[in-house]
């Protein structure tokens, strides 16, 4: 196995600069350990074998990226930093956006985050170097690489990858509508389930969904493990299943009130039980009969 | 600078009439609105602003439902804000940049974002918008609800996600 010296060149394709600032922090602050990877920053793309790209690829920057790519010598790896580079994030569908970058270049590693934490950036570069070693030795890119730096937990107040507590979710779709980066999709299976998907590579970690969720079902974790291989780009999704219950009396489907809401309204568990098996219509009828029949 | 003084300066210069409105912000800062009947008169107002050593801060434009455009220049003379409003039916205005160079970028921005041509503007080049995009990008109406749920009719990226994620 030959020794690989990663030579890093960075190109900004219309990033807001947030990612670039985090990248600079990653590169120059010792604790993020970029140095331990033996990375050399080069200022001519001709010398590079590790291309780092930030930004959603604006129309203006397309020619710059294309021009840069013609000068790169194989083998090289491409690491996209920031949700913008992976899926255009909050800028997706804008008239001036031609990205994401993988339309124009074969990307190897994606680091989601808006911007990502330096730990994730370092992890993404470390994974990129692994892929580079393999390319240089003529091996195929693996389907997954173990995490290299391990610790991705952010401070408690930090918004990391979003997660869902299915028990509390009523598939009301509020989160889907308030999400500025179109990272949430709620669909129905047609046979009694709603599927709630959070696509981490599109999320900008704004916390809007958690703020507006009426039941507190969606929440941010403090994990920032977002450096993933390109093969995981579309599968890094948090999937939740929400039971669209069948009424034991009339057989119609109904959405039971969420445990989260009930626990806010009632202090006793037995109220929750009343709602367990029948739809609101049948419950009203049953109550009416019980009182007046 | 007093609104009255400025009004006296432009009164005789404006040929087609105008409406003057006075306004105050929550801090008590005065501002004036000059609403022109004929867009041609913008040059006279610009000349008056220049004579008082004022500047163009920025300009605003929008497309009306009937397809016409409203353009508003925002001037500053010693802290007094003067908003000059004019209408155009044919997507053109008379550039005031030859009189007030500070209007240069604002007019170029209106040209590329709304396709409203500032006639007589010294600079024909684009300001921000890439040449691959047609000018007038902000003329398109996109409803808020459509925007919130993504404007693309087919969201290719989500289709890929749904291929990977089994239901
Ligand atoms: S991912 Fe976020 S921080 Fe990074 S360039 Fe895009 S908008 Fe800026
Ligand atoms: S996570 Fe919250 S906001 Fe989103 S669908 Fe579920 S209950 Fe509604
Ligand atoms: S935090 Fe929630 S609302 Fe914000 S981008 Fe992520 S999924 Fe969307």
């Amino acid at each position: 196995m030959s020794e690989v010296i990663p030579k890093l060149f960075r190109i900004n394709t219309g990033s807001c600069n947030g990612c670039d600032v985090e990248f600079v922090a990653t590169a120059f602050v010792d604790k993020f350990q970029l140095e331990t990877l033996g990375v050399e920053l080069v200022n001519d793309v001709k010398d590079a074998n590790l291309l780092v790209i930030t930004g959603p690829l604006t129309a203006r920057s397309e020619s710059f990226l294309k021009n840069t790519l013609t000068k790169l010598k194989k083998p090289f790896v491409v690491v996209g930093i920031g949700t913008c580079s992976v899926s255009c994030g909050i800028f997706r569908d804008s008239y001036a956006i031609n990205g994401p970058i993988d339309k124009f270049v074969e990307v190897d590693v994606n680091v989601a985050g808006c911007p990502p934490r330096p730990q994730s950036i370092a992890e993404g570069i470390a994974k990129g170097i692994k892929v580079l070693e393999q390319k240089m030795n003529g091996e195929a890119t693996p389907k997954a690489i173990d995490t290299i730096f391990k610790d991705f937990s952010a401070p408690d107040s930090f918004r990391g990858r979003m997660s869902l507590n299915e028990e509390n979710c009523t598939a009301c779709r509020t989160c889907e509508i308030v999400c500025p980066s179109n990272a949430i999709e709620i669909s129905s299976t047609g046979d009694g389930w709603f599927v709630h998907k959070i696509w981490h590579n599109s999320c900008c970690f704004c916390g809007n969904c958690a703020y507006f969720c009426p039941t507190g079902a969606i929440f941010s974790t403090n994990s920032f493990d977002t450096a993933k291989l390109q093969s995981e780009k579309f599968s890094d999704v948090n999937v939740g299943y929400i039971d669209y219950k069948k009424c034991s009396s009339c057989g119609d489907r109904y959405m039971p009130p969420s445990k989260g809401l009930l626990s806010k309204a009632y202090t006793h568990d037995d109220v929750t039980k009343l709602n367990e098996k029948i739809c609101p219509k049948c419950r009203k009828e049953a109550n009416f009969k019980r009182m007046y029949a | 600078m007093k609104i009255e003084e400025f009004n006296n300066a432009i009164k005789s210069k404006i040929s087609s009439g105008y409406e003057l409105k006075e306004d105050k912000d929550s801090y008590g800062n005065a501002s004036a609105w000059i609403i022109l009947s004929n867009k041609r008169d913008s040059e006279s107002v610009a000349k008056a602003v220049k004579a008082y050593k004022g500047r163009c801060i920025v300009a605003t434009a929008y497309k009306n439902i009937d397809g016409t455009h409203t353009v508003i220049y925002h001037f500053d003379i010693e802290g007094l804000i003067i908003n000059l409003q004019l209408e155009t039916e044919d997507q053109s205005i008379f550039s005031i940049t030859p009189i007030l160079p500070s209007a240069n970028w604002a007019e170029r921005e209106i040209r590329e974002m709304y396709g409203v041509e500032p006639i007589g503007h010294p600079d024909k080049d684009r300001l921000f918008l890439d040449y691959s995009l047609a000018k007038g990008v902000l003329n398109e109406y996109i409803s808020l609800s459509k925007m919130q749920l993504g404007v693309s009719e087919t969201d290719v990226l989500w289709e890929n996600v749904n291929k990977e994620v089994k239901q």
Side-chain angles (χ1 to χ4, degrees), chain A residues 73-279:
Chain A
K73 290 193 204 85
K74 277 190 175 170
F76 62 85
V77 288
V78 176
V79 179
I81 290 185
T83 298
C84 276
S85 72
V86 195
S87 64
C88 299
I90 49 173
F91 299 116
R92 195 149 78 235
D93 296 327
S94 156
Y95 62 85
I97 301 297
N98 291 356
I101 52 169
D102 62 359
K103 280 189 191 162
F104 299 90
V105 57
E106 242 174 72
V107 177
D108 298 281
V109 180
N110 292 303
V111 187
C114 186
R117 302 192 82 214
Q119 285 88 340
S120 327
I121 295 176
E123 175 72 18
I125 290 168
K127 281 188 172 165
I129 293 167
K130 278 261 153 82
V131 176
L132 181 63
E133 280 168 1
Q134 268 141 343
K135 280 191 182 177
M136 286 191 139
N137 293 316
E139 296 163 25
T141 310
K143 284 271 174 295
I145 298 179
D146 285 342
T147 48
I148 293 151
F149 287 126
K150 307 284 185 254
D151 184 23
F152 299 106
S153 52
D156 278 347
S157 56
F158 207 88
R159 291 191 297 266
R161 284 155 68 94
M162 303 306 291
S163 187
L164 181 81
N165 180 351
E166 305 169 354
E167 289 239 304
N168 281 352
C169 178
T170 59
C172 71
R173 308 189 80 162
T174 304
C175 51
E176 190 184 28
I177 286 171
V178 299
C179 175
S181 19
N182 200 3
I184 299 177
E185 196 185 86
I186 296 169
S187 52
S188 161
T189 60
D191 59 350
W193 296 92
F194 282 103
V195 190
H196 183 293
K197 282 160 281 183
I198 310 166
W199 181 28
H200 298 301
N201 276 327
S202 189
C203 175
C204 71
F205 303 85
C206 65
N208 235 15
C209 49
Y211 181 82
F212 285 104
C213 173
T215 67
I218 193 165
F219 60 97
S220 54
T221 66
N222 61 354
S223 158
F224 225 97
D225 176 16
T226 59
K228 307 277 169 180
L229 292 180
Q230 172 74 4
S231 56
E232 302 165 274
K233 171 168 174 173
F234 296 111
S235 57
D236 191 18
V237 179
N238 182 88
V239 187
Y241 293 93
I242 298 115
D243 197 354
Y244 195 35
K245 286 207 166 114
K246 212 176 208 164
C247 173
S248 61
S249 170
C250 68
D252 278 358
R253 297 264 178 210
Y254 75 105
M255 183 56 71
S258 102
K259 296 231 163 71
L261 275 187
L262 284 178
S263 67
K264 272 186 201 168
Y266 306 106
T267 45
H268 296 295
D269 271 358
D270 37 337
V271 179
T272 316
K273 290 212 181 70
L274 284 179
N275 292 293
E276 240 159 40
K277 291 207 175 69
I278 57 173
C279 70

Side-chain angles (χ1 to χ4, degrees), chain B residues 8-65:
Chain B
N8 286 336
I10 58 171
K11 226 182 242 166
S12 57
K13 306 274 166 35
I14 294 183
S15 48
S16 304
Y18 64 101
E19 190 188 336
L20 177 77
K21 281 192 209 159
E22 295 184 24
D23 202 4
K24 245 188 193 115
D25 71 9
S26 56
Y27 295 99
N29 300 315
S31 64
W33 283 84
I34 296 165
I35 300 156
L36 296 181
S37 320
N38 185 341
K39 61 185 180 179
R40 172 114 254 179
D41 286 324
S42 61
E43 286 168 347
S44 315
V45 180
K47 277 179 191 151
V49 173
K50 186 191 163 90
Y52 283 109
K53 295 193 167 46
R55 68 187 171 111
C56 173
I57 310 165
V58 75
T60 318
Y62 55 85
K63 189 185 176 188
N64 300 305
I65 293 172

